[in-house]
Structures are given as C-alpha cells and as structure tokens.
C-alpha cells in the first residue's frame, strides 16, 4: 500500500520563485549544488536522526504546476512569460545525494545535496527543508525518549496535540524511525504499516453508570485487549480494585489480562501501589502503562525511582518535540558550475559559526581498523581520495582551535548515497528503525547520553579547510 | 477559490474507534455532548485566539470510509460487522456550536461543542482537537508577536521550519488571523488569498560574481520590488553601500526604492547605522525589514531601544510557537442523553484543576450597561436565562476562593453559535483577522499585556457550580 502525499509544489517561499525567475534571465545555464545541513542539535543533543527522505523524493518527482497555479503566478505580476512557460512544462532534473533515513548525523555535515540547474535547485529549497526539518526533529526526539525508556515499548500518542494533520501523520512515522513501537494514529498506522495502539478514554467509563460496569462491558467486547484506564475516579480506591474484579472474571473464562493504564496523578507512587495490588491478586503478568505529559526527563526520573512501568504512551512532548521544537536545517549554495567550471561558493557572516563549507562535498564515518565503533566523521571535497593513507584533517567545529591532525590506520565509510529518483522505493519504516538502531550502536556511548553528551568530532580535510580560508580572505578584499 | 484539505477521516486515535465499536454494542441509542476547552494559555498569556473551525467543518462534513479503510479495519480484528457496516455508510449527524474564528477565549470555556450520537461524537475527538489545537496555538502566538510589533507589518516566514507541510500551510492561515499581514508561503497565499511576501536569499547574491552585480540584476528585473538583502558579506561596509548605489540608479530611472533586509548580526546596532546611511543618501523612504529568529520578546526589546525597523519577517518562532509549542485543548464528555433524559457528566480527578464542568453549557461575554469593554465571561447551563436580572455567580477558576458574586446592570453577549454544517461557507481570512482585532479591542487592556497579564474573570452560574458540587459528592460515594 502506497498512499501519496498531496502535491506540495507550491509549498515554497515566494522568493524561491522570484530568484528562479531572475536566474532564468541571468544565469539560465548555470548548474548549482546546494547542501542541507544543520548547526545545532535539538535539546543540546549530540546528533540528529535524519528522516523524511521518502516524502522529499515523492514530492520532487511529482513537482508540477497546473493551470490554476500558473494563472495565480500571472496574477502576481512578478514573472516573465518565459519563466511561466518553463513552470508549465516543469520536469525535475536535479540529482540528489542523501544519507539513508535513520542515519545519525552531526552538525555541519551535508545530509542531502541537490545538484542540477540553478533555477530548479533554488526552487525546491523550502519544500525540502520543511519535510526534512520536521521528520528529523521528531525522529531525534523519539530517539531520546526511547533511550530513556531503556527498551520498554513507547507508543506514540500525540495526534491531538500535533501541529496540524501532517505533523501527526508524518510525526508518527518519524517517531517509529527514532524508536517507537506503535502509534495511536490510525491514519499513520494504515499508511506506514505501523501497529495501531490504544485502549479507552475517560469518556468510555463516564458513559456508563459505574466504573465497574464500563470495565465489564469492555472486557466482554475485547477479552484479549483489556487494558483498563483506572484513573477516572480514584486509581487505588476504585480503578485498580474494579480492574482486578474484571481480571478475575476474565481469568475464569480463560483470558489473560492485558493490564491497566494510569493517565494522571503521581505516576511513581501510583504505579508502585497498583503493582502491589495486582501482584497480591495474583496478576503478575498484568502490564502497567502510563501516559500524561511524559518526555525523556520524566521517564528517566520515574525509572530511576523504580516505578514498575511496562509501557509508555507519549503524546504532545514527542509529537511537537516540545522542549526543543525547531530543527534549524539550512539549504546553502556550495558551488556553481558555469561554462564547465566549478566555482565553490561561501556564505560569509559576522558570526564565525555561520560561515559555510564551500565546494561539492562528501562525508564519511571513520573507524579504527578492526573496530566496529566509529571515532569521528569527516567532510571532504568530492574529488579527494579518502582511504587508508595518512590524511591531514582539522576539527570542523568553528569554535575548535583549528589544530591539524594526521589520521592513520582508519577505515572510512561514505554516508551520502545517490538516490535513484525514477526508481526510488520507500523502505519499510521498521526496517529504517532497525537501521537507525544499528547505526546508533556504532557510535561511542558518551555521545548518546541525554545530558551533556560528549561532542563527537567532525573533521574536515586540509584541502577543504584551505579552500574555506582562501574564499574567506578573497571575500574580505 | 476553495481548495479542500485531503480527507482525514482516519486521523484519529485507535481508541476512538474501539470505544465507538463498544458503544455500538452497548449504548447505541445514546446521544452525547462533548466540550472542547483548554486549561492553560500558551506563554502564560491570558487568552487564546480560536482558529481552525473552517477546516474542522470541512473535514466533518466529508467524513467517510472507503473500501481500503474498511478492509484495514477488518484486518485489525477488533470490530464487529455491524460497526464496520455503519462506517461504510457513514453520515455525520452531529450538531456543532462554536465561537467564531478569531474570538479570544479564556480557560475552561467551551469554545466548541458537539452534540449527537455518542458513537459519532466520540469518533471525531482526535481530528477536531488536532486542527483546533494547532491553528489556535499559532493564532495566539501571532497575536502576541503582532502586539509587540505595535502596528508594524509582520510577515509570516516560517515554512521551512514548520512541523510538516500542513503546519506551514494552516499555520500561515492562523498567523494572519492573529495579526500578520502577509506570508512567504505561496501555497497558503494562493489557498487563502493572503498577500505573498518575500525578496531574495543569500544564494541570489552568491550566485553572481559580486554583490553589486547581484543587486543591479535584481533591480533590473524587479524595479518596483527592490528589497535588497544586505548581510551576505558585510552589512555596513558592503551591503548598504551597494544598495544605495543601486537605489541611486533606480531613482535616475524614476523608481522608488523599496528597501533593505537584514537577516543576521546585531539587529539593533545594524538597523540604526543602516538607517543613518540611507537617510544621509536621501533615501528617507527606503524601508528596513529585519528577520532572524524573532519573536515577541526580541521585537519588544528592539523597539524599546529605538531600532528603526519598518517590517518584521518572523519565521520558526511563530510557525511552531517555539517558546510554548503545545495548546492542550481537551474534549470532554459533558452530558449523555438517554431515553429522553439528560444526564450531566463529570470527570473527577485527584487534581482540582482537572475536574470538568458538567452539563450542556453556553458562554457569555459580560459588559457593564453602557460600556463597550467587557469585564468578565460567564459559563452557564443551557437552560438558564441570562440577562439583565441580578445573577449569582462564582469565579470558575478552581484556585479561586469560591465566593459568590451578584451581577447587576450587565449586558451578556452569547459567544457559542450554531454552525450550519450543510451551508457552511468559509470566511475570508482577513475578515476573520478584523473580527479578531475588534474582539480583542473589547477586552480590558491589562489582560492583553505579554508579561504577567491580569487574569480575566470567567464566572460560572450558581446553578452550574451547584451541579458540579453535587456530582463531585456523588462520585465520592
């Protein structure tokens, strides 16, 4: 099953078209290379989990402008007829290189590059960033939350608090890539083949005359899916005792109880007390699920105090990455090809951090020979040979001291892969999740922790560093 | 022009269907009333600007389940055939009451109510909340940012950092409702008839051999839309001097300069210096636009120090409401109608704040006779007569002392209006914006300020307070 997104050809900032129209008149034969990268990791983490490539590709291959779009553009009185004609017969011709979805990526590394006619490569900036920034943000948050849950299943529950429908749908997809096991969102579950999860809301219980009756009716209908919400009236005095009554009835009929869910109150205290009541009644296998404004901090704290929780349902704080709700990925010009010559480009800035890395680049993950654990990444120019030979590199962090290192005895794994746009097939989201976990497994432990992770080194080659310096000096003249 | 959203019938939490299937077997003839309300205002503000009703209605009237959906549901092995049959022939029968989009609303006030078959009213919870929570969040943030801008135009620039495509598209709509004057997002501009705004990115300048050449080419193509981005190399030593050269050339040809945009560096310092340079060159009318991670706090601070800014472009902090990225609107059962009898319903909770207001309710904005400025709101039961007579009321804030007040000499304006679903017509987004500003104008000034606003009183009638107390006591038995 393959449900496509609606066409988002117009999801772009106006200036992309204003510039494209201008390029059409000035630099119509220029080819360009743009890099997508970010400078800061949400929640002061060490890396971002890249997600959204499938939707980017789906959109790019179907980019087109219908009559209504063209007449809208005409009405803006900004564009000349040659440009509008080009739009009417638009075919996307750029080439894309990207890291596979689920790859952990570090600041300044191009995670996607677009190479092709300057006009076209400029036009798709906003759309590409929107999709990648969103899904990578949520995959990254999900990784954090699942890391905190220490292997306990985390269900994505955020649809009602997501920032619009797509935020819920593609956010659920990204949450699975980052580690979640299921979603309550039926649309996303169907579209991306994710297990749909959920039990009941308080309204189920309130609709009946008593809590016990509501539990009994539920158990009758869903004898194999009896996760009872126990906090409508009073968890320990009413909810859990009533749940235990129903579990006993179910047991008499040969069904195994699924468990209870607690959605309010002091989760640490209530889960311990509820666990004891369930165990005392012999229901050792009844699972305890908790929800209610959870995130990686709350989960870490609950598990630290020994709260006996089997499953987490995580909503608004995951689906909006609430504590850090923006991934500021950017799309920067790396090079222009004009009359067969590559001209590397640099964005200068008053702020050292914002100076870009010029030229067409590739990125590598570096391992010591014989080790399965990476020790650094490397950004190189596309014509450089990277392999076992001694290699001069410099930390790419603009705040580093800029000392030269020589790498020896290393193995380099290239991360950017060319995407076959015409034959692109979407990957199963759980395969992406598995890949993500494998790749995270190769990183040093100290870069994975949630609080003050160690900064993972991203080197650049001496050649790239020299190119940046040369262009910086030139721009100062 | 009317572009519909994609059908989001499946955008729901699984448990809505599990419950609906259960209600189908138990309480198939029950009618229900659900309230949408929130408890906390983002950014510790005093009120929320409601937005999204148009999209809610568009979705509800087209709710349906196609063969692919039905076969997906069958595969879940949760639902019986009678329920699936009902879904296959689904027709939405509920009635909706809602406050008009753009209305400022306070905590605990039902801003939308759904009344109809319990099964149906339960099924749409997630979808209704997703849309209202998102657009109301962004409209509320936009109100804050536009309030800080003190009448200067604010352009919505956030598409690339929004949480997915819909977040950009419907966020732009909500941003205009809350006060923005334009958007860079072409999709939203076309769909909602919003002026499209924007100039150029750094890549335009970098693509040419020099900044001056890039400015000159731009001015040649867009002589009436020459807002030049001056921070690619150096704002004061290169960008502004080059812009002035181009403005002089334009002036010679009879065109008026539009202005400059600054997107990095110290905005306060740079705008003052740039203003002086423009004025010294005689370009008093050249406008200065600024962007770069602005929000209401940064804007307040810049204007306080006298930065000569004409326009603001606000991106990620608006489109994600970054400092407060969740509006936690809820959807709570207020009453069940069973065998012709209305049974008011209450959600109890260990936390006083989370106890709901039972029964079918209506809300009013209260004015002293002869005054155009409201002094409080009122939540009443639907069968109460609210008018000029002395009326006993209590502050509905669960943290208030609960003292009775008697209201005299007041005028009450009812806020919830019945929505005609079959003949619902979308309102022009700028009309909604105007309505919003009019309604905000009726509120006391001290409730509008951005920091520590005065809490606006929301009363409930004595009858409603007594009903809540009675049900609370009953549930304790």
């Amino acid at each position: 099953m393959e449900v496509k997104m609606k066409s988002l050809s117009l999801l772009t900032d106006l200036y992309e078209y204003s510039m494209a129209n201008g390029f059409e008149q000035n630099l119509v034969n220029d080819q360009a290379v743009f890099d997508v990268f970010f400078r800061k990791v949400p929640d002061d983490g060490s890396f971002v989990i890249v997600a959204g490539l499938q939707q980017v590709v789906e959109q790019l291959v179907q980019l087109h402008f219908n009559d209504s779009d063209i007449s809208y553009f005409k009405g803006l009185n900004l564009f000349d007829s040659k440009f509008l004609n080009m739009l009417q017969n638009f075919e996307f011709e750029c080439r894309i290189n990207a890291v596979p979805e689920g790859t952990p990526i570090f600041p300044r590394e191009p995670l996607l590059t677009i190479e092709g006619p300057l006009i076209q490569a400029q036009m798709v900036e906003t759309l590409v960033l929107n999709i990648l920034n969103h899904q990578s943000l949520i995959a990254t948050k999900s990784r954090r939350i699942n890391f905190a849950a220490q292997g306990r299943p985390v269900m994505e529950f955020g649809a009602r608090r997501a920032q619009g429908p797509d935020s819920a749908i593609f956010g659920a997809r990204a949450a699975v890539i980052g580690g979640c096991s299921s979603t309550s969102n039926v649309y996303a579950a169907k579209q991306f083949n994710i297990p749909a999860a959920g039990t009941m809301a308080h309204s189920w219980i309130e609709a009946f005359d008593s809590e016990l009756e509501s539990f009994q009716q539920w158990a009758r209908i869903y004898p194999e899916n009896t996760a009872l919400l126990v906090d409508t009236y009073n968890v320990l005095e009413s909810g859990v005792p009533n749940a235990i009554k129903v579990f006993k009835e179910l047991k008499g009929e040969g069904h195994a109880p699924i468990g209870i869910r607690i959605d309010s109150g002091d989760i640490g205290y209530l889960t311990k007390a509820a666990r004891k009541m369930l165990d005392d009644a012999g229901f050792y296998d009844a699972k305890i699920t908790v929800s209610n404004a959870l995130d990686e901090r709350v989960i870490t704290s609950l598990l630290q105090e020994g709260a006996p929780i089997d499953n987490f349902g995580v909503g608004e704080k995951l689906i909006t990455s609430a504590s850090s709700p923006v991934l500021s990925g950017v799309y920067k010009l790396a090079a222009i090809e004009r009359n067969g010559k590559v001209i590397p480009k640099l964005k200068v800035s008053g702020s050292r951090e914002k100076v870009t890395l010029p030229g067409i680049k590739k990125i590598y993950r570096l391992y010591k020979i014989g080790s399965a654990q990476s020790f650094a990444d490397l950004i190189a120019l596309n014509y450089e040979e990277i392999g076992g030979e001694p290699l001069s590199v410099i930390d790419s962090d603009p705040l580093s001291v800029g000392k030269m290192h020589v790498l020896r005895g290393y193995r380099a794994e290239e991360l950017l892969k060319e995407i076959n746009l015409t034959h692109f097939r979407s990957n199963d989201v759980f395969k992406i999740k598995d890949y993500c976990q494998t790749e995270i497994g190769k990183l040093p432990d100290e870069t994975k922790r949630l609080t003050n992770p160690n900064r993972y080194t991203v080197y650049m080659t001496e050649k790239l560093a020299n190119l940046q310096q040369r262009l910086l000096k030139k721009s100062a003249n």
Side-chain angles (χ1 to χ4, degrees), chain A:
Chain A
M1 178 194 47
E2 180 82 23
V3 185
K4 297 278 185 192
M5 296 171 85
K6 63 186 166 193
S7 166
L8 297 169
S9 304
L10 292 195
L11 182 56
T12 184
D13 291 309
L14 178 66
Y15 75 3
E16 314 286 10
Y17 292 127
S18 308
M19 288 188 282
N21 177 60
F23 288 141
E24 228 270 344
Q25 295 180 39
N26 282 275
L27 306 170
V28 67
N29 294 316
D30 280 16
Q31 301 282 305
V33 180
F34 284 87
D35 295 337
V36 174
F37 64 95
F38 55 85
R39 299 185 184 99
K40 278 188 176 170
V41 179
D43 285 309
D44 294 323
S46 165
F47 55 86
V48 158
I49 303 297
V50 176
L53 182 62
Q54 181 185 325
Q55 284 69 38
V56 166
V57 173
E58 283 179 10
Q59 285 300 326
L60 292 181
V61 297
Q62 64 164 313
L63 263 188
H64 70 278
F65 303 91
N66 60 28
D67 292 346
S68 153
D69 298 335
I70 300 294
S71 89
Y72 173 74
F73 283 132
K74 275 188 190 148
L76 292 179
N77 285 324
L78 284 172
F79 309 127
D80 79 355
S81 57
K82 206 172 140 203
F83 179 71
L84 293 173
N85 208 36
M86 185 276 289
L87 288 186
Q88 198 141 25
N89 302 292
F90 192 84
E91 261 182 69
F92 188 67
E93 296 165 23
C94 300
R95 293 169 299 289
I96 308 266
N97 286 281
V99 302
E101 288 193 88
T103 306
I105 283 292
F106 297 86
R108 299 176 301 286
E109 299 181 335
L111 56 97
L112 182 143
T113 67
I114 293 203
E115 186 172 354
L118 170 60
I119 296 172
Q120 293 202 356
Q122 183 69 66
M123 280 173 59
V124 300
E125 172 179 18
T126 310
L127 179 57
V128 169
L129 286 179
N130 173 283
I131 294 172
L132 290 177
N133 276 334
H134 169 231
Q135 289 198 44
S136 302
L137 175 72
I138 305 306
T140 303
K141 188 65 169 182
S142 173
R143 197 293 295 187
R144 296 176 62 83
I145 289 170
N146 279 278
F147 184 88
Q150 300 173 35
R152 290 165 188 80
V154 176
M155 299 175 280
E156 188 285 303
F157 272 7
R160 68 191 56 197
R161 305 280 164 77
Q163 296 196 352
D166 284 339
S167 162
I169 295 165
F170 298 104
R173 177 181 189 270
V176 172
I177 290 175
C180 287
S181 55
S182 59
T183 180
S184 63
N185 179 338
V186 177
Y187 193 117
K190 182 186 175 213
Q191 179 157 347
F192 302 115
N193 210 12
I194 302 169
T199 56
M200 63 180 65
H202 298 109
S203 54
W204 173 266
I205 291 119
E206 293 169 74
F208 291 85
D209 290 332
S210 77
E211 188 180 53
L212 182 61
E213 186 195 347
S214 78
F215 286 180
Q216 285 167 330
Q217 289 302 339
W218 190 268
R220 191 178 59 74
I221 304 171
Y222 304 112
E224 307 292 342
N225 184 24
T226 304
L228 300 167
L229 180 62
V230 294
D231 68 338
T232 304
Y233 301 109
N234 187 308
V235 173
L236 301 179
E237 289 173 27
S238 167
V240 177
N242 281 330
I244 287 172
K245 274 183 209 158
V246 173
F247 292 160
K248 284 181 179 162
E249 293 166 14
L250 278 170
K251 202 179 172 187
E253 296 157 19
H255 300 292
I258 296 291
I260 61 169
R261 178 163 76 97
I262 302 176
D263 186 45
S264 61
D266 189 290
I267 300 289
Y269 168 73
L270 292 173
T271 51
K272 285 178 193 170
R275 181 75 270 161
K276 186 167 185 319
M277 292 165 77
L278 290 166
D279 288 349
D280 288 349
F283 293 109
Y284 305 104
D285 293 338
K287 300 270 189 269
I288 298 181
T289 298
V290 303
S291 47
N292 191 22
L294 302 176
D295 67 5
E296 67 269 38
R297 275 166 273 208
V298 179
I299 290 173
T300 298
S301 159
L302 286 170
L303 294 181
Q304 191 184 28
E305 79 177 69
I309 297 167
D310 299 293
N311 302 291
F312 293 97
V314 182
E316 63 191 45
K317 310 257 175 176
L318 166 57
I319 207 68
T320 66
S321 186
S323 57
S324 201
V326 178
L327 174 60
S328 300
V330 296
Y331 188 95
K332 293 293 176 190
L333 185 64
I336 293 266
E337 284 176 56
R338 187 172 293 155
N339 305 323
K341 209 186 138 201
V342 174
I343 310 163
K345 292 290 180 177
L346 181 79
K347 156 92 175 71
V348 189
S349 172
S351 145
R352 185 90 191 83
E353 270 172 51
K354 284 200 167 184
V355 178
T356 60
L357 295 176
I360 310 175
K361 298 171 292 292
K362 43 191 185 175
I363 60 175
Y364 295 88
R365 193 138 292 164
L366 304 178
Y367 303 81
K368 299 276 176 212
I369 299 273
S371 165
Q373 191 169 83
S374 69
F375 66 92
D377 280 8
L378 173 69
I379 309 177
L381 288 161
N382 68 328
Y383 52 79
E384 292 189 88
E385 288 279 345
I386 304 298
E389 300 307 301
L391 182 72
S392 294
V393 298
I394 296 173
D395 193 334
S396 72
D397 187 336
L399 302 178
S400 78
V401 290
K403 220 183 85 186
M404 192 79 66
H405 295 261
V406 177
L407 300 180
R408 286 192 181 80
Y410 68 95
R411 178 169 62 82
E413 202 179 278
E414 198 168 346
L415 296 180
L416 282 168
K417 320 266 185 206
E418 188 168 350
I419 306 295
N420 186 331
L421 287 180
T422 37
H423 297 98
F424 182 78
R425 282 201 54 225
S426 60
N427 218 336
D428 178 80
V429 77
F430 281 93
K431 282 201 184 133
I432 302 174
K433 173 184 169 177
D434 289 347
Y435 167 80
C436 178
Q437 296 190 337
T438 304
E439 294 306 299
I440 291 172
K442 297 175 184 170
L443 300 176
D445 280 344
E446 58 273 19
T447 203
K448 298 177 204 166
R449 81 170 78 94
L450 300 182
T451 307
N452 293 337
N454 195 21
R455 198 175 62 73
Y456 180 87
T457 305
V458 178
Y459 292 117
M460 57 182 160
T461 59
E462 189 181 3
K463 281 204 171 69
L464 175 55
N466 289 343
L467 176 64
Q468 191 193 38
Q469 282 309 313
R470 207 161 57 237
L471 292 178
L472 256 178
K473 270 183 203 142
K474 205 175 125 191
S475 82
N477 295 334

